[in-house]
Amino acid sequence: PNPFIIPQHEGVIIKNVLSGSKISILTIDGTVIKKIRLDSNQSQYIWDGTDNSGKIIGTAVYLVAAEHESSIKKVSKIAVIRE
């Protein structure tokens, strides 16, 4: 869902990425708050709205960047609302 509403939604599915991709979730100013490495048989990830330390993130627009050695980097954005 976009916006992703915490805690109404259990997570947001990050999909249409190549298996084995690296996914980074960043603030608009470019600060990386979450890094994910997909397994070689995994092409999507359910993000629960937490950062690398397990804390729930705040209301904002975030960037989702996916990169794979055999493809160009893909970037999208997601709005998060924390109730």
Side-chain angles (χ1 to χ4, degrees), residues 8-60:
Q8 280 185 27
H9 303 128
E10 291 182 22
V12 62
I13 300 172
I14 300 168
K15 58 185 178 179
N16 298 326
V17 294
L18 294 173
S19 297
S21 291
K22 295 179 202 172
I23 298 172
S24 298
I25 300 173
L26 307 92
T27 61
I28 285 296
D29 69 3
T31 303
V32 177
I33 61 162
K34 182 84 168 187
K35 285 189 162 220
I36 302 130
R37 175 68 185 234
L38 298 181
D39 291 333
S40 60
N41 63 347
Q42 187 180 12
S43 61
Q44 68 179 25
Y45 180 80
I46 300 174
W47 179 47
D48 61 0
T50 60
D51 63 13
N52 280 330
S53 64
K55 295 178 185 172
I56 297 173
I57 60 165
T59 297

Side-chain angles (χ1 to χ4, degrees), residues 50-80:
T50 60
D51 63 13
N52 280 330
S53 64
K55 295 178 185 172
I56 297 173
I57 60 165
T59 297
V61 174
Y62 294 89
L63 301 175
V64 179
E67 57 184 310
H68 190 275
E69 59 194 30
S70 67
S71 178
I72 60 169
K73 184 185 273 189
K74 295 180 183 179
V75 179
S76 61
K77 58 186 172 183
I78 184 166
V80 175

